[in-house]
């Protein structure tokens, strides 16, 4: 990777190392372990689309979904990008 410069950390992080430490601590917490399956359902599972997604407030602008636009049908190269 490349070093990042001029990154503004949130006020609750005392240093870049502290920022990473706190995120690791959160991700390895009991709470996350108990609720990870819910996140998986939202991202990879049945709550991605349809009524389950609507009920879970997990809907996005329609053009962000794969297959919403037929890129092969767009003739203008600038529009395809």
């Amino acid at each position: 990777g490349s070093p990042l410069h001029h990154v503004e950390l949130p006020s609750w992080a005392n240093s870049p190392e502290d920022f990473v430490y706190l995120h690791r601590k959160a991700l390895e917490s009991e709470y996350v372990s108990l609720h990870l399956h819910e996140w998986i359902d939202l991202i990879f599972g049945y709550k991605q689309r349809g009524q389950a997604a609507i009920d879970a407030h997990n809907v996005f602008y329609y053009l962000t979904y794969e297959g919403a636009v037929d890129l092969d049908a767009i003739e203008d190269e600038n529009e395809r990008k």
Side-chain angles (χ1 to χ4, degrees):
S2 302
L4 294 175
H5 302 287
H6 309 292
V7 174
E8 188 173 331
L9 295 172
S11 60
W12 48 262
N14 298 321
S15 68
E17 294 79 14
D18 186 47
F19 180 82
V20 171
Y21 169 78
L22 292 170
H23 275 82
R24 278 186 169 174
K25 188 174 177 182
L27 288 171
E28 295 170 358
S29 71
E30 184 69 19
Y31 179 86
V32 170
S33 294
L34 292 173
H35 295 275
L36 186 59
H37 66 282
E38 296 169 12
W39 178 81
I40 291 170
D41 287 342
L42 289 174
I43 304 304
F44 303 109
Y46 74 100
K47 293 182 180 179
Q48 284 183 323
R49 294 181 183 222
Q51 191 60 48
I54 294 168
D55 294 343
H57 305 287
N58 192 37
V59 292
F60 302 93
Y61 186 63
Y62 77 100
L63 291 178
T64 62
Y65 290 99
E66 184 177 2
V69 176
D70 181 6
L71 296 177
D72 294 329
I74 300 173
E75 295 179 8
D76 184 332
E77 190 62 34
N78 289 325
E79 285 185 36
R80 289 182 66 157
K81 293 179 182 180

